[in-house]
Amino acid sequence: GLQMGVFLFLQLTAAGGIFCHGVHYLLENYLVRRIFEPVVQKYSVHSKGAVSSAGTREAQCNPKRKLSDGDVAEISTKLVSVVYAIVVTSAGVGVMWQARDDVMYGRSSIVKPFVPLIMWYFIYDLLAMFHSYCLRKNLTAERLSTRWTRFAKVKWIFIIHHFVLFTGALLEVLGKLRPEGLADFTLGTLFFRELSNPFVLMAQVLKILNLEKSRLFKINGVTVMITFFVCRIINSPLFFLLFAWQHHALDFIAAARSMKLVCYIFVGLEMALEIYWFYGILRLAFQMARSGRKSK
């Protein structure tokens, strides 16, 4: 009944929260320094452009270089997000496979238990970003309201993004986003968007480690652009094409008229954010390519 549904929802949401915060605690307090500080000490000088070879690498190490508490907190946040992205992408593939025969009415057994399981991540991620921001900016002694105000001024786009996704997930759980059994495939495509995130996040981790000049960073950057464009920019248009093909014989006008207003609002907000971020990725890539040519 209703009580059992609410109890299951709370259980799954709590499980997601315990997992996110638990993994973050282990990473920040025990694992990140042990794993990444030796990397920073070994390659921090190389990342500034020094020419290294097998014979001179030890002489160029920087054993005094340490990760700050803010660096450790931010890397921990990124790594938790990598795990989350892998889990969500895998679920997205499963949902789309189960509902592939009908993108509008195909059902998947994964959706109902999975959405509440990942809902808490959006709250965790904002809290974790706020925590690492305060450590990196030395704001821990400031009033809480002051810290949140400064954080919101810098990270407002992420706050909007997480609010939109959390609201969409909550409406899905409450059955208000779509009629029962409608468009499980759509949620699968939203989950599949996360495929680009591990590469975006690893680029940020490599930057914290001062490895922007490394070959790994460049390869990862190309992968970011490809996966972000495929999974986040043309994802929704491809879904609309499949919908028009299966239900309206490729009559795009009829397909557009049959979509609900809430779908346009939600997808429109998400697409605006994705295009904004993709523009930022391209601009950064061109800047790095230009600076690399100048240094030669």
Side-chain angles (χ1 to χ4, degrees), residues 10 29 37 98 140 144 168 180 184 198-199 202 222 224 227 236 239 242 269 284:
L10 293 176
N29 291 280
E37 213 156 64
Q98 289 183 351
T140 51
L144 184 62
E180 180 69 23
D184 279 3
F199 305 104
M202 288 313 299
V222 174
V224 166
T227 55
S236 295
F239 166 76
L242 284 172
L269 285 172
L284 180 61

Side-chain angles (χ1 to χ4, degrees), residues 1 9 25 34-35 39 48 61 81 88 103 106 121 168 191 195 218 236 245 248 261:
F9 164 73
Y25 179 83
R34 294 181 183 180
I35 296 172
V39 176
K48 296 178 182 179
C61 294
S81 297
V88 173
V103 298
Y121 167 79
F191 295 161
L195 179 62
K218 295 174 183 176
S236 295
W245 174 52
H248 296 278
L261 179 61

